[in-house]
Coordinates of all heavy atoms in Angstrom, one line a residue:
P70 N -16.0 -11.7 -21.2 CA -15.2 -12.9 -21.0 C -13.7 -12.7 -21.2 O -13.3 -11.7 -21.9 CB -15.8 -13.9 -22.1 CG -16.3 -12.9 -23.1 CD -16.8 -11.7 -22.4
G71 N -12.9 -13.6 -20.7 CA -11.5 -13.5 -20.9 C -10.8 -14.8 -20.9 O -11.4 -15.8 -20.5
P72 N -9.6 -14.9 -21.4 CA -8.9 -16.2 -21.5 C -8.4 -16.7 -20.1 O -8.4 -16.0 -19.1 CB -7.6 -15.8 -22.4 CG -7.4 -14.4 -22.1 CD -8.8 -13.8 -21.9
A73 N -8.0 -18.0 -20.1 CA -7.6 -18.6 -18.9 C -6.1 -18.3 -18.6 O -5.7 -18.6 -17.5 CB -7.8 -20.1 -19.0
D74 N -5.4 -17.8 -19.5 CA -4.0 -17.5 -19.4 C -3.8 -16.2 -18.6 O -4.1 -15.2 -19.0 CB -3.3 -17.4 -20.8 CG -1.9 -17.1 -20.7 OD1 -1.3 -17.1 -19.6 OD2 -1.3 -16.9 -21.8
E75 N -3.1 -16.4 -17.4 CA -2.9 -15.2 -16.5 C -2.1 -14.1 -17.2 O -2.3 -12.9 -17.0 CB -2.3 -15.6 -15.2 CG -3.2 -16.5 -14.4 CD -2.5 -17.0 -13.1 OE1 -1.5 -16.4 -12.7 OE2 -3.0 -18.0 -12.5
T76 N -1.1 -14.5 -18.1 CA -0.3 -13.5 -18.7 C -1.0 -12.6 -19.7 O -0.5 -11.6 -20.1 CB 0.9 -14.2 -19.4 OG1 0.5 -15.0 -20.5 CG2 1.7 -15.0 -18.4
A77 N -2.2 -13.1 -20.1 CA -3.0 -12.3 -21.1 C -3.5 -11.0 -20.4 O -4.1 -10.1 -21.1 CB -4.2 -13.1 -21.6
Y78 N -3.4 -10.9 -19.1 CA -4.0 -9.7 -18.4 C -2.9 -8.7 -17.9 O -3.2 -7.8 -17.2 CB -4.8 -10.2 -17.2 CG -5.9 -11.1 -17.6 CD1 -5.8 -12.5 -17.6 CD2 -7.1 -10.5 -18.0 CE1 -6.9 -13.3 -18.0 CE2 -8.2 -11.4 -18.4 CZ -8.0 -12.7 -18.4 OH -9.1 -13.5 -18.8
L79 N -1.7 -8.9 -18.4 CA -0.7 -7.9 -18.1 C -1.0 -6.7 -19.0 O -1.7 -6.7 -20.0 CB 0.7 -8.5 -18.5 CG 1.2 -9.7 -17.6 CD1 2.5 -10.2 -18.1 CD2 1.3 -9.2 -16.1
P80 N -0.4 -5.5 -18.6 CA -0.7 -4.3 -19.4 C -0.5 -4.4 -20.9 O -1.4 -3.9 -21.7 CB 0.2 -3.2 -18.8 CG 0.3 -3.7 -17.3 CD 0.4 -5.2 -17.4
A81 N 0.6 -5.0 -21.4 CA 0.8 -5.0 -22.8 C -0.2 -5.8 -23.6 O -0.7 -5.3 -24.6 CB 2.2 -5.5 -23.1
P82 N -0.5 -7.0 -23.2 CA -1.6 -7.7 -24.0 C -3.0 -7.1 -23.9 O -3.7 -7.0 -24.9 CB -1.6 -9.2 -23.5 CG -0.8 -9.1 -22.2 CD 0.1 -8.0 -22.3
L83 N -3.3 -6.6 -22.7 CA -4.6 -5.9 -22.6 C -4.5 -4.6 -23.4 O -5.5 -4.2 -24.0 CB -4.9 -5.6 -21.2 CG -5.4 -6.7 -20.3 CD1 -5.6 -6.3 -18.9 CD2 -6.6 -7.4 -20.9
G84 N -3.4 -3.9 -23.4 CA -3.2 -2.7 -24.3 C -3.4 -3.0 -25.7 O -4.0 -2.2 -26.4
A85 N -3.0 -4.2 -26.2 CA -3.2 -4.5 -27.6 C -4.7 -4.7 -27.9 O -5.2 -4.3 -29.0 CB -2.5 -5.8 -27.9
V86 N -5.5 -5.2 -26.9 CA -6.9 -5.3 -27.1 C -7.6 -4.0 -27.2 O -8.4 -3.7 -28.1 CB -7.5 -6.1 -25.9 CG1 -9.1 -6.1 -26.0 CG2 -7.0 -7.6 -25.9
V87 N -7.2 -3.1 -26.3 CA -7.7 -1.7 -26.3 C -7.3 -1.0 -27.6 O -8.1 -0.2 -28.2 CB -7.3 -1.0 -25.0 CG1 -7.8 0.5 -25.1 CG2 -7.9 -1.6 -23.8
A88 N -6.1 -1.2 -28.0 CA -5.6 -0.5 -29.2 C -6.5 -0.9 -30.4 O -6.8 0.0 -31.3 CB -4.2 -0.8 -29.5
G89 N -6.9 -2.2 -30.5 CA -7.7 -2.6 -31.6 C -9.1 -2.0 -31.5 O -9.7 -1.6 -32.6
L90 N -9.6 -1.9 -30.3 CA -10.9 -1.2 -30.1 C -10.9 0.2 -30.5 O -11.7 0.8 -31.2 CB -11.4 -1.4 -28.7 CG -12.7 -0.8 -28.3 CD1 -13.3 -1.6 -27.2 CD2 -12.6 0.6 -27.8
V91 N -9.8 0.9 -30.1 CA -9.7 2.4 -30.4 C -9.5 2.5 -31.9 O -10.1 3.5 -32.5 CB -8.5 3.0 -29.7 CG1 -8.1 4.4 -30.2 CG2 -8.7 3.0 -28.2
E92 N -8.8 1.6 -32.6 CA -8.7 1.7 -34.0 C -10.1 1.6 -34.7 O -10.4 2.4 -35.7 CB -7.8 0.6 -34.6 CG -7.5 0.7 -36.1 CD -6.5 -0.2 -36.5 OE1 -6.0 -1.0 -35.7 OE2 -6.1 -0.2 -37.7
D93 N -10.9 0.7 -34.2 CA -12.2 0.6 -34.8 C -13.1 1.9 -34.6 O -13.7 2.4 -35.5 CB -13.0 -0.6 -34.2 CG -12.4 -1.9 -34.7 OD1 -11.6 -1.9 -35.6 OD2 -12.9 -3.0 -34.1
V94 N -13.0 2.4 -33.4 CA -13.9 3.6 -33.0 C -13.3 4.8 -33.8 O -14.1 5.7 -34.2 CB -13.8 3.8 -31.5 CG1 -14.6 5.1 -31.1 CG2 -14.5 2.6 -30.8
A95 N -12.0 4.9 -34.0 CA -11.4 6.0 -34.6 C -11.8 6.1 -36.1 O -11.7 7.2 -36.7 CB -9.9 6.0 -34.5
A96 N -12.3 5.0 -36.7 CA -12.8 5.1 -38.0 C -14.0 6.0 -38.2 O -14.3 6.5 -39.3 CB -13.2 3.7 -38.5
E97 N -14.7 6.3 -37.0 CA -15.8 7.2 -37.1 C -15.5 8.6 -36.6 O -16.4 9.4 -36.6 CB -16.9 6.6 -36.2 CG -17.3 5.2 -36.6 CD -18.3 4.5 -35.7 OE1 -18.7 5.2 -34.6 OE2 -18.8 3.4 -35.9
G98 N -14.3 8.9 -36.1 CA -14.0 10.2 -35.6 C -12.9 10.1 -34.5 O -12.5 9.0 -34.2
P99 N -12.5 11.3 -34.0 CA -11.4 11.3 -33.0 C -11.8 10.5 -31.8 O -13.0 10.5 -31.4 CB -11.3 12.8 -32.7 CG -11.9 13.5 -33.9 CD -13.0 12.6 -34.4
V100 N -10.8 10.0 -31.1 CA -10.9 9.2 -29.9 C -10.0 9.8 -28.8 O -8.8 9.9 -29.1 CB -10.6 7.7 -30.1 CG1 -10.7 7.0 -28.8 CG2 -11.6 7.1 -31.1

Side-chain angles (χ1 to χ4, degrees):
D74 180 5
E75 293 175 22
T76 64
Y78 299 95
L79 297 173
L83 286 179
V86 172
V87 173
L90 183 149
V91 171
E92 185 173 2
D93 286 354
V94 176
E97 302 175 359
V100 175

